[in-house]
mmCIF file of all heavy atoms in Angstrom:
data_model
loop_
_atom_site.group_PDB
_atom_site.id
_atom_site.type_symbol
_atom_site.label_atom_id
_atom_site.label_comp_id
_atom_site.label_asym_id
_atom_site.label_seq_id
_atom_site.Cartn_x
_atom_site.Cartn_y
_atom_site.Cartn_z
ATOM 1 N N GLU J 1 205.666 108.040 -52.987
ATOM 2 C CA GLU J 1 206.992 108.643 -53.028
ATOM 3 C C GLU J 1 208.102 107.646 -52.584
ATOM 4 O O GLU J 1 207.842 106.922 -51.608
ATOM 5 C CB GLU J 1 207.048 109.958 -52.317
ATOM 6 C CG GLU J 1 205.905 110.983 -52.627
ATOM 7 C CD GLU J 1 204.560 110.627 -52.014
ATOM 8 O OE1 GLU J 1 204.659 109.851 -51.005
ATOM 9 O OE2 GLU J 1 203.535 111.111 -52.445
ATOM 10 N N PRO J 2 209.281 107.911 -53.200
ATOM 11 C CA PRO J 2 210.350 106.943 -52.677
ATOM 12 C C PRO J 2 210.695 107.239 -51.250
ATOM 13 O O PRO J 2 210.650 108.397 -50.754
ATOM 14 C CB PRO J 2 211.625 107.379 -53.559
ATOM 15 C CG PRO J 2 210.906 107.966 -54.894
ATOM 16 C CD PRO J 2 209.642 108.535 -54.353
ATOM 17 N N GLN J 3 210.976 106.244 -50.516
ATOM 18 C CA GLN J 3 211.281 106.226 -49.036
ATOM 19 C C GLN J 3 212.866 106.112 -48.858
ATOM 20 O O GLN J 3 213.365 105.060 -49.284
ATOM 21 C CB GLN J 3 210.588 105.287 -48.237
ATOM 22 C CG GLN J 3 209.020 105.356 -48.452
ATOM 23 C CD GLN J 3 208.540 106.710 -47.854
ATOM 24 O OE1 GLN J 3 208.630 107.026 -46.671
ATOM 25 N NE2 GLN J 3 207.849 107.582 -48.648
ATOM 26 N N PRO J 4 213.504 106.966 -48.239
ATOM 27 C CA PRO J 4 214.941 106.901 -48.111
ATOM 28 C C PRO J 4 215.421 105.669 -47.458
ATOM 29 O O PRO J 4 216.502 105.077 -47.680
ATOM 30 C CB PRO J 4 215.433 108.214 -47.429
ATOM 31 C CG PRO J 4 214.168 108.675 -46.700
ATOM 32 C CD PRO J 4 213.052 108.232 -47.586
ATOM 33 N N HIS J 5 214.644 105.170 -46.492
ATOM 34 C CA HIS J 5 215.145 104.065 -45.658
ATOM 35 C C HIS J 5 214.287 102.738 -45.860
ATOM 36 O O HIS J 5 214.566 101.789 -45.201
ATOM 37 C CB HIS J 5 215.025 104.324 -44.123
ATOM 38 C CG HIS J 5 215.808 105.609 -43.827
ATOM 39 N ND1 HIS J 5 217.183 105.705 -43.986
ATOM 40 C CD2 HIS J 5 215.349 106.832 -43.392
ATOM 41 C CE1 HIS J 5 217.560 106.931 -43.586
ATOM 42 N NE2 HIS J 5 216.518 107.652 -43.213
ATOM 43 N N LEU J 6 213.494 102.770 -46.812
ATOM 44 C CA LEU J 6 212.704 101.471 -47.201
ATOM 45 C C LEU J 6 212.778 101.217 -48.626
ATOM 46 O O LEU J 6 212.856 102.042 -49.481
ATOM 47 C CB LEU J 6 211.239 101.781 -46.781
ATOM 48 C CG LEU J 6 210.849 101.755 -45.254
ATOM 49 C CD1 LEU J 6 209.512 102.307 -45.105
ATOM 50 C CD2 LEU J 6 211.078 100.440 -44.693
ATOM 51 N N ARG J 7 212.676 99.859 -48.971
ATOM 52 C CA ARG J 7 212.498 99.370 -50.311
ATOM 53 C C ARG J 7 211.221 98.505 -50.374
ATOM 54 O O ARG J 7 211.135 97.650 -49.420
ATOM 55 C CB ARG J 7 213.779 98.677 -50.795
ATOM 56 C CG ARG J 7 214.959 99.461 -50.865
ATOM 57 C CD ARG J 7 214.800 100.585 -51.988
ATOM 58 N NE ARG J 7 216.062 101.343 -52.049
ATOM 59 C CZ ARG J 7 216.317 102.518 -51.333
ATOM 60 N NH1 ARG J 7 215.326 102.997 -50.394
ATOM 61 N NH2 ARG J 7 217.393 103.155 -51.479
ATOM 62 N N PHE J 8 210.529 98.488 -51.397
ATOM 63 C CA PHE J 8 209.308 97.637 -51.536
ATOM 64 C C PHE J 8 209.467 96.796 -52.758
ATOM 65 O O PHE J 8 209.663 97.298 -53.885
ATOM 66 C CB PHE J 8 208.053 98.663 -51.642
ATOM 67 C CG PHE J 8 207.852 99.537 -50.488
ATOM 68 C CD1 PHE J 8 208.333 100.803 -50.465
ATOM 69 C CD2 PHE J 8 207.207 98.983 -49.340
ATOM 70 C CE1 PHE J 8 208.096 101.636 -49.363
ATOM 71 C CE2 PHE J 8 206.979 99.813 -48.310
ATOM 72 C CZ PHE J 8 207.453 101.134 -48.283
ATOM 73 N N LEU J 9 209.213 95.480 -52.442
ATOM 74 C CA LEU J 9 209.500 94.463 -53.497
ATOM 75 C C LEU J 9 208.214 93.762 -53.834
ATOM 76 O O LEU J 9 207.243 93.595 -52.937
ATOM 77 C CB LEU J 9 210.470 93.456 -53.071
ATOM 78 C CG LEU J 9 211.728 94.163 -52.351
ATOM 79 C CD1 LEU J 9 212.639 92.793 -51.916
ATOM 80 C CD2 LEU J 9 212.549 94.926 -53.266
ATOM 81 N N ASP J 10 208.080 93.275 -55.094
ATOM 82 C CA ASP J 10 206.915 92.465 -55.443
ATOM 83 C C ASP J 10 207.129 90.936 -54.989
ATOM 84 O O ASP J 10 208.285 90.548 -54.677
ATOM 85 C CB ASP J 10 206.830 92.481 -56.960
ATOM 86 C CG ASP J 10 206.517 93.827 -57.461
ATOM 87 O OD1 ASP J 10 205.596 94.571 -56.789
ATOM 88 O OD2 ASP J 10 206.925 94.111 -58.632
ATOM 89 N N PHE J 11 206.052 90.269 -54.885
ATOM 90 C CA PHE J 11 206.137 88.797 -54.653
ATOM 91 C C PHE J 11 206.326 88.153 -55.981
ATOM 92 O O PHE J 11 205.744 88.539 -57.044
ATOM 93 C CB PHE J 11 204.871 88.192 -54.079
ATOM 94 C CG PHE J 11 204.895 88.289 -52.587
ATOM 95 C CD1 PHE J 11 204.294 89.353 -51.896
ATOM 96 C CD2 PHE J 11 205.432 87.208 -51.865
ATOM 97 C CE1 PHE J 11 204.273 89.318 -50.504
ATOM 98 C CE2 PHE J 11 205.379 87.264 -50.482
ATOM 99 C CZ PHE J 11 204.853 88.274 -49.714
ATOM 100 N N ALA J 12 207.301 87.235 -56.085
ATOM 101 C CA ALA J 12 207.625 86.434 -57.375
ATOM 102 C C ALA J 12 206.593 85.419 -57.634
ATOM 103 O O ALA J 12 206.639 84.830 -58.682
ATOM 104 C CB ALA J 12 209.007 86.015 -57.347
ATOM 105 N N ASP J 13 205.902 85.068 -56.544
ATOM 106 C CA ASP J 13 204.981 83.897 -56.695
ATOM 107 C C ASP J 13 203.878 84.224 -57.694
ATOM 108 O O ASP J 13 203.380 85.319 -57.993
ATOM 109 C CB ASP J 13 204.336 83.658 -55.386
ATOM 110 C CG ASP J 13 205.351 83.418 -54.219
ATOM 111 O OD1 ASP J 13 205.841 84.397 -53.745
ATOM 112 O OD2 ASP J 13 205.561 82.226 -53.917
ATOM 113 N N ASP J 14 203.387 83.105 -58.376
ATOM 114 C CA ASP J 14 202.337 83.344 -59.373
ATOM 115 C C ASP J 14 201.155 82.382 -59.068
ATOM 116 O O ASP J 14 201.232 81.157 -59.106
ATOM 117 C CB ASP J 14 202.876 82.988 -60.766
ATOM 118 C CG ASP J 14 201.873 83.209 -61.917
ATOM 119 O OD1 ASP J 14 200.965 84.020 -61.614
ATOM 120 O OD2 ASP J 14 202.012 82.579 -62.971
ATOM 121 N N PRO J 15 199.983 82.937 -58.558
ATOM 122 C CA PRO J 15 199.671 84.335 -58.528
ATOM 123 C C PRO J 15 200.375 84.939 -57.201
ATOM 124 O O PRO J 15 200.587 84.127 -56.195
ATOM 125 C CB PRO J 15 198.205 84.526 -58.443
ATOM 126 C CG PRO J 15 197.813 83.144 -57.833
ATOM 127 C CD PRO J 15 198.793 82.081 -58.255
ATOM 128 N N PRO J 16 200.541 86.281 -57.160
ATOM 129 C CA PRO J 16 201.120 86.765 -55.866
ATOM 130 C C PRO J 16 200.097 86.849 -54.827
ATOM 131 O O PRO J 16 198.899 86.880 -55.085
ATOM 132 C CB PRO J 16 201.530 88.269 -56.300
ATOM 133 C CG PRO J 16 200.688 88.512 -57.546
ATOM 134 C CD PRO J 16 200.360 87.228 -58.206
ATOM 135 N N PRO J 17 200.481 86.796 -53.567
ATOM 136 C CA PRO J 17 199.427 86.845 -52.449
ATOM 137 C C PRO J 17 198.699 88.118 -52.528
ATOM 138 O O PRO J 17 199.191 89.260 -52.871
ATOM 139 C CB PRO J 17 200.292 86.813 -51.214
ATOM 140 C CG PRO J 17 201.578 86.190 -51.676
ATOM 141 C CD PRO J 17 201.893 86.587 -53.064
ATOM 142 N N SER J 18 197.382 88.100 -52.231
ATOM 143 C CA SER J 18 196.531 89.248 -52.298
ATOM 144 C C SER J 18 195.320 89.056 -51.443
ATOM 145 O O SER J 18 195.172 88.055 -50.754
ATOM 146 C CB SER J 18 196.095 89.507 -53.703
ATOM 147 O OG SER J 18 195.307 88.446 -54.144
ATOM 148 N N ARG J 19 194.508 90.111 -51.262
ATOM 149 C CA ARG J 19 193.266 90.045 -50.486
ATOM 150 C C ARG J 19 192.259 90.677 -51.263
ATOM 151 O O ARG J 19 192.461 91.631 -52.057
ATOM 152 C CB ARG J 19 193.468 90.727 -49.141
ATOM 153 C CG ARG J 19 193.713 92.180 -49.123
ATOM 154 C CD ARG J 19 193.730 92.745 -47.773
ATOM 155 N NE ARG J 19 193.856 94.161 -47.780
ATOM 156 C CZ ARG J 19 194.073 94.936 -46.646
ATOM 157 N NH1 ARG J 19 193.862 94.431 -45.490
ATOM 158 N NH2 ARG J 19 194.171 96.261 -46.759
ATOM 159 N N ARG J 20 191.063 90.193 -51.076
ATOM 160 C CA ARG J 20 189.836 90.821 -51.790
ATOM 161 C C ARG J 20 189.232 91.748 -50.770
ATOM 162 O O ARG J 20 188.749 91.276 -49.621
ATOM 163 C CB ARG J 20 188.910 89.706 -52.323
ATOM 164 C CG ARG J 20 187.579 90.307 -52.829
ATOM 165 C CD ARG J 20 186.912 89.403 -53.899
ATOM 166 N NE ARG J 20 187.736 89.277 -55.055
ATOM 167 C CZ ARG J 20 187.383 88.581 -56.167
ATOM 168 N NH1 ARG J 20 186.198 87.952 -56.172
ATOM 169 N NH2 ARG J 20 188.216 88.574 -57.193
ATOM 170 N N VAL J 21 188.969 92.877 -51.161
ATOM 171 C CA VAL J 21 188.273 93.983 -50.356
ATOM 172 C C VAL J 21 186.840 94.123 -50.871
ATOM 173 O O VAL J 21 186.652 94.198 -52.049
ATOM 174 C CB VAL J 21 189.027 95.248 -50.377
ATOM 175 C CG1 VAL J 21 188.196 96.383 -49.639
ATOM 176 C CG2 VAL J 21 190.392 95.109 -49.829
ATOM 177 N N VAL J 22 185.909 93.983 -49.866
ATOM 178 C CA VAL J 22 184.409 93.939 -50.218
ATOM 179 C C VAL J 22 183.641 95.016 -49.472
ATOM 180 O O VAL J 22 184.207 95.425 -48.350
ATOM 181 C CB VAL J 22 183.904 92.574 -50.106
ATOM 182 C CG1 VAL J 22 184.519 91.555 -50.863
ATOM 183 C CG2 VAL J 22 183.870 92.164 -48.602
ATOM 184 N N LEU J 23 182.571 95.300 -49.976
ATOM 185 C CA LEU J 23 181.580 96.213 -49.293
ATOM 186 C C LEU J 23 180.533 95.341 -48.709
ATOM 187 O O LEU J 23 179.945 94.522 -49.563
ATOM 188 C CB LEU J 23 180.960 97.267 -50.176
ATOM 189 C CG LEU J 23 179.937 98.171 -49.504
ATOM 190 C CD1 LEU J 23 180.526 98.956 -48.330
ATOM 191 C CD2 LEU J 23 179.468 99.199 -50.595
ATOM 192 N N ALA J 24 180.221 95.285 -47.405
ATOM 193 C CA ALA J 24 179.242 94.400 -46.814
ATOM 194 C C ALA J 24 178.127 95.315 -46.152
ATOM 195 O O ALA J 24 178.383 96.322 -45.607
ATOM 196 C CB ALA J 24 179.924 93.569 -45.694
ATOM 197 N N TRP J 25 176.852 94.731 -46.217
ATOM 198 C CA TRP J 25 175.719 95.364 -45.570
ATOM 199 C C TRP J 25 174.680 94.352 -45.294
ATOM 200 O O TRP J 25 174.566 93.260 -45.789
ATOM 201 C CB TRP J 25 175.202 96.555 -46.406
ATOM 202 C CG TRP J 25 174.576 96.041 -47.692
ATOM 203 C CD1 TRP J 25 173.248 95.890 -48.003
ATOM 204 C CD2 TRP J 25 175.197 95.699 -48.911
ATOM 205 N NE1 TRP J 25 172.994 95.457 -49.263
ATOM 206 C CE2 TRP J 25 174.203 95.400 -49.956
ATOM 207 C CE3 TRP J 25 176.480 95.774 -49.368
ATOM 208 C CZ2 TRP J 25 174.432 95.069 -51.206
ATOM 209 C CZ3 TRP J 25 176.772 95.470 -50.718
ATOM 210 C CH2 TRP J 25 175.815 95.087 -51.586
ATOM 211 N N ARG J 26 173.807 94.693 -44.273
ATOM 212 C CA ARG J 26 172.637 93.810 -44.033
ATOM 213 C C ARG J 26 171.713 93.688 -45.134
ATOM 214 O O ARG J 26 171.429 94.643 -45.815
ATOM 215 C CB ARG J 26 171.891 94.308 -42.852
ATOM 216 C CG ARG J 26 172.760 94.292 -41.499
ATOM 217 C CD ARG J 26 171.787 94.710 -40.285
ATOM 218 N NE ARG J 26 171.123 95.945 -40.514
ATOM 219 C CZ ARG J 26 171.667 97.149 -40.468
ATOM 220 N NH1 ARG J 26 172.940 97.256 -40.200
ATOM 221 N NH2 ARG J 26 170.949 98.224 -40.694
ATOM 222 N N ARG J 27 171.255 92.493 -45.333
ATOM 223 C CA ARG J 27 170.297 92.264 -46.429
ATOM 224 C C ARG J 27 169.073 93.129 -46.339
ATOM 225 O O ARG J 27 168.272 93.362 -47.230
ATOM 226 C CB ARG J 27 170.019 90.845 -46.775
ATOM 227 C CG ARG J 27 171.204 89.975 -47.024
ATOM 228 C CD ARG J 27 170.887 88.621 -47.368
ATOM 229 N NE ARG J 27 172.080 87.723 -47.646
ATOM 230 C CZ ARG J 27 172.769 87.731 -48.796
ATOM 231 N NH1 ARG J 27 172.211 88.383 -49.827
ATOM 232 N NH2 ARG J 27 173.786 86.997 -48.925
ATOM 233 N N SER J 28 168.673 93.391 -45.041
ATOM 234 C CA SER J 28 167.503 94.199 -44.779
ATOM 235 C C SER J 28 167.628 95.680 -44.906
ATOM 236 O O SER J 28 166.730 96.474 -44.852
ATOM 237 C CB SER J 28 167.031 93.890 -43.305
ATOM 238 O OG SER J 28 168.024 94.186 -42.438
ATOM 239 N N PHE J 29 168.848 96.145 -45.226
ATOM 240 C CA PHE J 29 169.166 97.565 -45.273
ATOM 241 C C PHE J 29 168.467 98.080 -46.550
ATOM 242 O O PHE J 29 168.639 97.503 -47.649
ATOM 243 C CB PHE J 29 170.637 97.800 -45.393
ATOM 244 C CG PHE J 29 171.074 99.272 -45.392
ATOM 245 C CD1 PHE J 29 170.604 100.117 -44.306
ATOM 246 C CD2 PHE J 29 171.819 99.759 -46.361
ATOM 247 C CE1 PHE J 29 171.031 101.413 -44.404
ATOM 248 C CE2 PHE J 29 172.186 101.147 -46.405
ATOM 249 C CZ PHE J 29 171.732 101.903 -45.346
ATOM 250 N N THR J 30 167.683 99.198 -46.431
ATOM 251 C CA THR J 30 166.793 99.603 -47.511
ATOM 252 C C THR J 30 167.312 100.733 -48.459
ATOM 253 O O THR J 30 166.818 100.849 -49.531
ATOM 254 C CB THR J 30 165.441 100.111 -46.931
ATOM 255 O OG1 THR J 30 165.766 101.174 -46.121
ATOM 256 C CG2 THR J 30 164.812 99.020 -46.250
ATOM 257 N N ARG J 31 168.506 101.290 -48.144
ATOM 258 C CA ARG J 31 168.997 102.344 -48.956
ATOM 259 C C ARG J 31 169.991 101.799 -50.038
ATOM 260 O O ARG J 31 171.214 101.994 -49.939
ATOM 261 C CB ARG J 31 169.734 103.315 -47.998
ATOM 262 C CG ARG J 31 168.858 104.133 -47.047
ATOM 263 C CD ARG J 31 169.534 105.096 -46.110
ATOM 264 N NE ARG J 31 170.234 106.104 -46.932
ATOM 265 C CZ ARG J 31 171.163 106.951 -46.359
ATOM 266 N NH1 ARG J 31 171.429 106.766 -45.070
ATOM 267 N NH2 ARG J 31 171.681 107.886 -47.009
ATOM 268 N N TYR J 32 169.389 101.115 -50.969
ATOM 269 C CA TYR J 32 170.274 100.450 -52.023
ATOM 270 C C TYR J 32 170.926 101.502 -52.774
ATOM 271 O O TYR J 32 172.114 101.278 -53.138
ATOM 272 C CB TYR J 32 169.280 99.652 -52.976
ATOM 273 C CG TYR J 32 168.311 98.744 -52.246
ATOM 274 C CD1 TYR J 32 166.973 99.040 -52.276
ATOM 275 C CD2 TYR J 32 168.774 97.723 -51.494
ATOM 276 C CE1 TYR J 32 166.017 98.281 -51.659
ATOM 277 C CE2 TYR J 32 167.819 96.892 -50.782
ATOM 278 C CZ TYR J 32 166.473 97.207 -50.919
ATOM 279 O OH TYR J 32 165.581 96.346 -50.213
ATOM 280 N N GLU J 33 170.340 102.689 -53.059
ATOM 281 C CA GLU J 33 171.068 103.685 -53.782
ATOM 282 C C GLU J 33 172.250 104.255 -53.105
ATOM 283 O O GLU J 33 173.329 104.607 -53.677
ATOM 284 C CB GLU J 33 170.075 104.865 -54.027
ATOM 285 C CG GLU J 33 168.901 104.483 -55.025
ATOM 286 C CD GLU J 33 167.720 103.908 -54.282
ATOM 287 O OE1 GLU J 33 167.890 103.572 -52.990
ATOM 288 O OE2 GLU J 33 166.639 103.661 -54.904
ATOM 289 N N ALA J 34 172.182 104.325 -51.775
ATOM 290 C CA ALA J 34 173.327 104.736 -50.935
ATOM 291 C C ALA J 34 174.499 103.752 -51.106
ATOM 292 O O ALA J 34 175.679 104.183 -51.242
ATOM 293 C CB ALA J 34 172.969 104.930 -49.479
ATOM 294 N N ILE J 35 174.197 102.447 -51.062
ATOM 295 C CA ILE J 35 175.244 101.419 -51.273
ATOM 296 C C ILE J 35 175.904 101.521 -52.668
ATOM 297 O O ILE J 35 177.137 101.532 -52.729
ATOM 298 C CB ILE J 35 174.704 100.026 -51.109
ATOM 299 C CG1 ILE J 35 174.193 99.836 -49.594
ATOM 300 C CG2 ILE J 35 175.686 98.917 -51.463
ATOM 301 C CD1 ILE J 35 175.254 99.865 -48.535
ATOM 302 N N ALA J 36 175.063 101.752 -53.673
ATOM 303 C CA ALA J 36 175.548 101.909 -55.096
ATOM 304 C C ALA J 36 176.422 103.129 -55.135
ATOM 305 O O ALA J 36 177.508 103.152 -55.862
ATOM 306 C CB ALA J 36 174.417 101.935 -56.062
ATOM 307 N N ALA J 37 175.975 104.210 -54.553
ATOM 308 C CA ALA J 37 176.691 105.424 -54.652
ATOM 309 C C ALA J 37 178.129 105.276 -53.906
ATOM 310 O O ALA J 37 179.099 105.825 -54.472
ATOM 311 C CB ALA J 37 175.885 106.614 -54.061
ATOM 312 N N LEU J 38 178.163 104.591 -52.793
ATOM 313 C CA LEU J 38 179.460 104.398 -52.081
ATOM 314 C C LEU J 38 180.347 103.567 -52.849
ATOM 315 O O LEU J 38 181.595 103.819 -53.087
ATOM 316 C CB LEU J 38 179.076 103.772 -50.782
ATOM 317 C CG LEU J 38 180.397 103.624 -49.937
ATOM 318 C CD1 LEU J 38 181.035 104.873 -49.441
ATOM 319 C CD2 LEU J 38 180.053 102.803 -48.531
ATOM 320 N N ARG J 39 179.818 102.535 -53.546
ATOM 321 C CA ARG J 39 180.628 101.636 -54.378
ATOM 322 C C ARG J 39 181.183 102.394 -55.569
ATOM 323 O O ARG J 39 182.381 102.225 -55.943
ATOM 324 C CB ARG J 39 179.799 100.439 -54.814
ATOM 325 C CG ARG J 39 180.617 99.389 -55.523
ATOM 326 C CD ARG J 39 179.924 98.018 -55.612
ATOM 327 N NE ARG J 39 180.752 97.026 -56.163
ATOM 328 C CZ ARG J 39 180.654 96.556 -57.339
ATOM 329 N NH1 ARG J 39 179.592 96.995 -58.136
ATOM 330 N NH2 ARG J 39 181.320 95.617 -57.885
#
């Protein structure tokens, strides 16, 4: 929703700054279906 006291602008840089969000788990974790369901 619009904020009365704030304005949000895009970065003009190409590509714009960003971050990659990942799901991490131990390789020994056995509940593969649970990881897939969460993803």
